[in-house]
Amino acid sequence: MLLTISTTHNPATDLGYLLHKNPARLQSEEISFGTAYVFYPKATAELCTVALFVEIDPIGLIRGRRGPTGEAGQLQQYVNDRPYTANSFLSVAIGEMFSTAMSGRSKERQELAETSIPLIASLPVVASRGGVGLIEKLFGDRHARLLNERVDQYWF
């Protein structure tokens, strides 16, 4: 899973202060289902983009997990349910990697944390049982139009 957040706030690199993540270095953290990485593909005064990439460890998810026994149990551990749980994994990673930012606190720049700045969040793939209609209802017509133009890239 990949989440990017961008801003054009001036200077845009202030995003690093808000998220408590240094734009100059890659940060990673082991989480219960894999590894979460935070990095900045673009960090200039005009535009700053932070990316949260979650690498799921499918072997680690199976090890230590208690399940049914017998022949059916042996097969069940190989059934891949990751596409259905990816959104949950991403939400846990957001909580782990950006918990201080989500609280609205900033040690060094509290005034910045209290300032409204333009943010654009992007998820390349999102599972939606409600399809395009639900996306339109949640995010408005503009996003639904973009989605309809690129519907082949999305999984519903």
Side-chain angles (χ1 to χ4, degrees), residues 59 62 65 72-82:
I59 304 298
I62 294 171
R65 184 169 76 176
Q74 290 174 1
L75 180 60
Q76 186 174 357
Q77 69 179 339
Y78 295 104
V79 174
N80 186 347
D81 62 350
R82 256 51 91 209

Side-chain angles (χ1 to χ4, degrees), residues 3 97 107 110-111 119:
L3 164 70
M97 300 303 283
K107 266 194 283 187
Q110 185 58 37
E111 75 285 348
L119 296 172

Side-chain angles (χ1 to χ4, degrees), residues 141-156:
D141 293 338
R142 178 176 173 269
H143 291 87
R145 277 195 311 276
L146 291 172
L147 183 60
N148 281 324
E149 292 169 8
R150 299 171 46 190
V151 74
D152 60 315
Q153 296 179 16
Y154 293 83
W155 167 49
F156 294 108

Side-chain angles (χ1 to χ4, degrees), residues 2-7 15-16 19 21-23 37-43 48-53 98 119-120 122:
L2 176 69
L3 164 70
T4 60
I5 302 171
S6 300
T7 187
L15 187 60
L19 299 176
K21 303 292 183 229
N22 185 340
Y37 301 91
V38 174
F39 58 95
Y40 289 78
K42 178 117 178 147
C48 188
T49 300
V50 63
L52 170 62
F53 175 71
F98 300 135
L119 296 172
I120 298 171
S122 175

